Short mmCIF file of all heavy atoms in Angstrom, two decimals:
data_model
loop_
_atom_site.label_atom_id
_atom_site.label_comp_id
_atom_site.label_asym_id
_atom_site.label_seq_id
_atom_site.Cartn_x
_atom_site.Cartn_y
_atom_site.Cartn_z
N GLU A 1 8.91 59.30 -8.36
CA GLU A 1 9.91 58.42 -7.78
C GLU A 1 9.31 57.07 -7.42
O GLU A 1 8.14 56.96 -7.05
CB GLU A 1 10.55 59.05 -6.53
CG GLU A 1 9.60 59.26 -5.37
CD GLU A 1 10.32 59.67 -4.10
OE1 GLU A 1 11.55 59.56 -4.02
OE2 GLU A 1 9.61 60.10 -3.15
N PHE A 2 10.14 56.06 -7.50
CA PHE A 2 9.77 54.69 -7.15
C PHE A 2 9.59 54.59 -5.64
O PHE A 2 10.43 55.05 -4.87
CB PHE A 2 10.86 53.75 -7.63
CG PHE A 2 10.68 52.30 -7.28
CD1 PHE A 2 9.87 51.49 -8.04
CD2 PHE A 2 11.34 51.76 -6.19
CE1 PHE A 2 9.70 50.15 -7.72
CE2 PHE A 2 11.19 50.43 -5.86
CZ PHE A 2 10.37 49.62 -6.63
N VAL A 3 8.48 53.97 -5.23
CA VAL A 3 8.22 53.74 -3.82
C VAL A 3 8.47 52.28 -3.46
O VAL A 3 9.18 51.96 -2.52
CB VAL A 3 6.77 54.11 -3.46
CG1 VAL A 3 6.43 53.73 -2.02
CG2 VAL A 3 6.52 55.60 -3.68
N GLY A 4 7.88 51.39 -4.24
CA GLY A 4 8.05 49.97 -3.98
C GLY A 4 7.43 49.16 -5.10
O GLY A 4 6.61 49.66 -5.87
N GLY A 5 7.82 47.90 -5.20
CA GLY A 5 7.29 47.02 -6.23
C GLY A 5 7.22 45.60 -5.74
O GLY A 5 7.94 45.21 -4.81
N ILE A 6 6.35 44.84 -6.38
CA ILE A 6 6.18 43.43 -6.03
C ILE A 6 6.05 42.64 -7.32
O ILE A 6 5.30 43.00 -8.22
CB ILE A 6 4.95 43.24 -5.10
CG1 ILE A 6 4.83 41.81 -4.62
CG2 ILE A 6 3.66 43.73 -5.76
CD1 ILE A 6 3.85 41.64 -3.45
N SER A 7 6.84 41.60 -7.41
CA SER A 7 6.86 40.83 -8.65
C SER A 7 5.71 39.83 -8.69
O SER A 7 4.98 39.64 -7.70
CB SER A 7 8.20 40.10 -8.77
OG SER A 7 8.30 39.07 -7.78
N ARG A 8 5.56 39.19 -9.81
CA ARG A 8 4.58 38.11 -9.91
C ARG A 8 4.84 37.08 -8.83
O ARG A 8 5.99 36.80 -8.49
CB ARG A 8 4.68 37.43 -11.28
CG ARG A 8 4.05 38.19 -12.40
CD ARG A 8 3.96 37.33 -13.63
NE ARG A 8 3.10 36.17 -13.42
CZ ARG A 8 2.60 35.42 -14.39
NH1 ARG A 8 2.88 35.71 -15.64
NH2 ARG A 8 1.84 34.38 -14.12
N SER A 9 3.80 36.56 -8.30
CA SER A 9 3.84 35.55 -7.24
C SER A 9 4.55 36.04 -5.99
O SER A 9 4.93 35.23 -5.13
CB SER A 9 4.53 34.27 -7.75
OG SER A 9 3.84 33.76 -8.86
N SER A 10 4.77 37.35 -5.92
CA SER A 10 5.38 37.97 -4.72
C SER A 10 6.76 37.41 -4.40
O SER A 10 7.19 37.42 -3.25
CB SER A 10 4.46 37.78 -3.49
OG SER A 10 3.17 38.26 -3.76
N VAL A 11 7.46 36.96 -5.44
CA VAL A 11 8.80 36.42 -5.22
C VAL A 11 9.76 37.51 -4.75
O VAL A 11 10.62 37.30 -3.89
CB VAL A 11 9.31 35.74 -6.51
CG1 VAL A 11 10.77 35.36 -6.40
CG2 VAL A 11 8.46 34.52 -6.82
N LEU A 12 9.61 38.69 -5.35
CA LEU A 12 10.48 39.82 -5.01
C LEU A 12 9.63 41.00 -4.55
O LEU A 12 8.55 41.25 -5.08
CB LEU A 12 11.29 40.26 -6.23
CG LEU A 12 12.24 39.26 -6.87
CD1 LEU A 12 12.85 39.86 -8.14
CD2 LEU A 12 13.35 38.88 -5.89
N THR A 13 10.15 41.71 -3.58
CA THR A 13 9.59 43.02 -3.22
C THR A 13 10.77 43.97 -3.03
O THR A 13 11.77 43.60 -2.41
CB THR A 13 8.74 43.00 -1.94
OG1 THR A 13 9.48 42.37 -0.89
CG2 THR A 13 7.44 42.27 -2.15
N TYR A 14 10.65 45.14 -3.58
CA TYR A 14 11.66 46.19 -3.44
C TYR A 14 10.99 47.43 -2.86
O TYR A 14 9.85 47.73 -3.15
CB TYR A 14 12.27 46.56 -4.79
CG TYR A 14 13.06 45.50 -5.49
CD1 TYR A 14 13.06 45.41 -6.89
CD2 TYR A 14 13.83 44.58 -4.79
CE1 TYR A 14 13.79 44.45 -7.55
CE2 TYR A 14 14.56 43.61 -5.45
CZ TYR A 14 14.54 43.54 -6.82
OH TYR A 14 15.27 42.58 -7.48
N TYR A 15 11.77 48.16 -2.08
CA TYR A 15 11.30 49.41 -1.52
C TYR A 15 12.39 50.46 -1.66
O TYR A 15 13.58 50.15 -1.62
CB TYR A 15 10.94 49.26 -0.03
CG TYR A 15 9.87 48.24 0.24
CD1 TYR A 15 10.19 46.91 0.54
CD2 TYR A 15 8.52 48.59 0.19
CE1 TYR A 15 9.21 45.97 0.78
CE2 TYR A 15 7.53 47.65 0.44
CZ TYR A 15 7.88 46.34 0.73
OH TYR A 15 6.90 45.41 0.96
N SER A 16 11.98 51.70 -1.79
CA SER A 16 12.96 52.77 -1.75
C SER A 16 13.49 52.90 -0.32
O SER A 16 12.81 52.52 0.64
CB SER A 16 12.34 54.08 -2.21
OG SER A 16 11.36 54.52 -1.27
N ASP A 17 14.66 53.44 -0.20
CA ASP A 17 15.26 53.59 1.13
C ASP A 17 14.40 54.47 2.03
O ASP A 17 14.37 54.29 3.25
CB ASP A 17 16.66 54.19 1.01
CG ASP A 17 17.66 53.20 0.44
OD1 ASP A 17 17.37 51.98 0.44
OD2 ASP A 17 18.73 53.65 -0.03
N SER A 18 13.70 55.42 1.44
CA SER A 18 12.93 56.36 2.24
C SER A 18 11.70 55.74 2.89
O SER A 18 11.17 56.29 3.86
CB SER A 18 12.50 57.56 1.39
OG SER A 18 11.69 57.12 0.31
N VAL A 19 11.25 54.58 2.39
CA VAL A 19 10.04 53.96 2.94
C VAL A 19 10.31 52.58 3.53
O VAL A 19 9.42 51.99 4.17
CB VAL A 19 8.92 53.85 1.89
CG1 VAL A 19 8.65 55.20 1.24
CG2 VAL A 19 9.22 52.80 0.84
N LYS A 20 11.50 52.08 3.34
CA LYS A 20 11.83 50.73 3.80
C LYS A 20 11.62 50.63 5.31
O LYS A 20 12.05 51.50 6.06
CB LYS A 20 13.27 50.40 3.45
CG LYS A 20 13.62 48.93 3.50
CD LYS A 20 15.04 48.71 2.99
CE LYS A 20 15.19 49.07 1.54
NZ LYS A 20 16.55 48.82 1.02
N GLY A 21 10.95 49.58 5.73
CA GLY A 21 10.66 49.39 7.14
C GLY A 21 9.36 50.03 7.60
O GLY A 21 8.88 49.75 8.70
N ARG A 22 8.81 50.89 6.78
CA ARG A 22 7.54 51.56 7.13
C ARG A 22 6.40 51.14 6.21
O ARG A 22 5.24 51.08 6.63
CB ARG A 22 7.70 53.08 7.05
CG ARG A 22 8.75 53.64 7.99
CD ARG A 22 8.71 55.17 7.98
NE ARG A 22 9.05 55.74 6.68
CZ ARG A 22 8.24 56.56 5.99
NH1 ARG A 22 7.05 56.89 6.48
NH2 ARG A 22 8.63 57.05 4.82
N PHE A 23 6.71 50.87 4.95
CA PHE A 23 5.70 50.50 3.97
C PHE A 23 5.82 49.00 3.67
O PHE A 23 6.91 48.43 3.71
CB PHE A 23 5.89 51.27 2.67
CG PHE A 23 5.57 52.74 2.75
CD1 PHE A 23 5.37 53.39 3.95
CD2 PHE A 23 5.47 53.48 1.57
CE1 PHE A 23 5.08 54.74 4.00
CE2 PHE A 23 5.18 54.83 1.61
CZ PHE A 23 4.99 55.46 2.83
N ASP A 24 4.67 48.41 3.32
CA ASP A 24 4.65 46.98 3.04
C ASP A 24 3.72 46.71 1.86
O ASP A 24 2.57 47.18 1.84
CB ASP A 24 4.17 46.20 4.27
CG ASP A 24 4.19 44.71 4.03
OD1 ASP A 24 5.29 44.15 3.91
OD2 ASP A 24 3.10 44.10 3.95
#
């Protein structure tokens, strides 16, 4: 399962709902 991702130059970051607010 997807946990989180960060795009080039950190323009975008996505997190799964289960880790949002806890993972960075």
Side-chain angles (χ1 to χ4, degrees):
E1 65 171 347
F2 177 82
V3 174
I6 185 166
S7 68
R8 283 191 63 165
S9 301
S10 306
V11 171
L12 299 175
T13 51
Y14 295 146
Y15 300 93
S16 68
D17 288 343
S18 61
V19 308
K20 197 174 295 182
R22 300 188 296 123
F23 289 13
D24 182 69

